[in-house]
Amino acid sequence: MNVKQVAINLISQVDKGAYSNIALNETFKTLNINSKEKAFITEIFYGVIRNKKFLDYIIEKNTKEIKKEWIRNLLRISIYQITFMDSDNKGVVWEATELAKKKYGVPISKFINGTLRNYLRNKDSELKSLADKKNYEVLYSIPKWFCDMLEKQYGNENLKQAITSLKKIPYLSVRVNKLKYYWKKNLNNF
């Protein structure tokens, strides 16, 4: 099974109300894939979830109407790769086109190809336009109320820096088990 197809299925599950971490773990239990493929699926899956507002905005701007959920998720994944990952853009477009051709035939694959190529042509100007208009809720996929709260708290001049610092993915997370720490500390006192 194609890793992008796995990611599309996972995004569909989350759209229908599944918990992302549970859906991902259950899927990995059923598949026999290597660690690089797991890392790629995880990055695409969580990346699309984190940036769904931006991705849907770009899709709506470049298409009229998409009725099939699978096609929307394929576009989300591909636009995420083009925008946020260090991917070969032509390869992303080609792979999405081939997946669409296998699933729905040539007309849909041409639609996917045209949509993604159009986005590639206009990507820089689109991102610049969103930044110039300070449309941060779309650009960074955060709720409007949260953007307003950050603006009130940090001011207009520091808003972008506050949002980007919150959107960074942490590299390491540490949790201290206070029960074990307390036990060892008291054990040493005897």
Side-chain angles (χ1 to χ4, degrees):
M1 182 174 239
N2 187 302
V3 291
K4 283 192 174 181
Q5 182 62 48
V6 172
I8 289 170
N9 294 340
L10 284 168
I11 294 166
S12 292
Q13 290 177 29
V14 170
D15 284 346
K16 292 175 184 168
Y19 292 108
S20 59
N21 59 333
I22 294 171
L24 188 66
N25 289 335
E26 291 299 318
T27 300
F28 284 163
K29 286 178 187 175
T30 62
L31 296 177
N32 185 20
I33 55 177
N34 64 37
S35 61
K36 285 185 179 183
E37 291 172 327
K38 284 182 181 179
F40 182 73
I41 291 169
T42 304
E43 170 63 28
I44 288 178
F45 175 58
Y46 282 125
V48 167
I49 291 172
R50 278 191 312 269
N51 296 289
K52 191 178 280 188
K53 191 172 190 176
F54 170 78
L55 298 170
D56 287 343
Y57 171 82
I58 295 297
I59 290 169
E60 288 171 16
K61 190 157 184 146
N62 287 292
T63 61
K64 289 184 180 177
E65 183 181 1
I66 298 176
K67 295 179 182 175
K68 301 218 181 272
E69 177 187 21
W70 189 90
I71 295 171
R72 177 175 294 280
N73 287 335
L74 178 62
L75 286 172
R76 283 174 177 164
I77 287 171
S78 301
I79 292 170
Y80 175 78
Q81 278 187 276
I82 290 168
T83 309
F84 299 104
M85 293 178 74
D86 188 26
S87 299
D88 173 29
N89 294 339
K90 291 179 182 178
V92 171
V93 173
W94 179 83
E95 190 175 12
T97 304
E98 289 300 311
L99 273 172
K101 191 185 297 182
K102 287 178 186 172
K103 179 95 172 165
Y104 290 109
V106 174
I108 299 297
S109 70
K110 287 182 179 181
F111 167 75
I112 296 289
N113 188 357
T115 302
L116 292 175
R117 288 175 58 138
N118 186 42
Y119 174 64
L120 274 171
R121 276 191 296 275
N122 302 320
K123 178 180 89 167
D124 295 333
S125 63
E126 186 63 44
L127 294 174
K128 186 177 181 333
S129 171
L130 285 171
D132 290 346
K133 293 177 185 174
K134 295 188 177 185
N135 194 351
Y136 295 137
E137 59 267 11
V138 171
L139 188 60
Y140 295 110
S141 292
I142 60 172
K144 176 84 170 116
W145 66 267
F146 188 63
C147 189
D148 293 341
M149 184 182 76
L150 288 174
E151 185 174 12
K152 184 187 276 186
Q153 196 169 21
Y154 293 102
N156 196 17
E157 56 280 345
N158 296 326
L159 178 62
K160 183 178 179 183
Q161 184 179 2
I163 293 171
T164 55
S165 69
L166 289 171
K167 289 290 285 188
K168 285 183 182 174
I169 300 169
Y171 292 109
L172 178 66
S173 177
V174 178
R175 189 181 99 191
V176 176
N177 186 342
K178 292 180 181 178
L179 294 174
K180 287 187 177 185
Y181 173 75
Y182 179 76
W183 184 78
K184 286 183 181 180
K185 181 180 165 188
N186 287 335
L187 186 65
N188 291 334
N189 291 335
F190 290 110

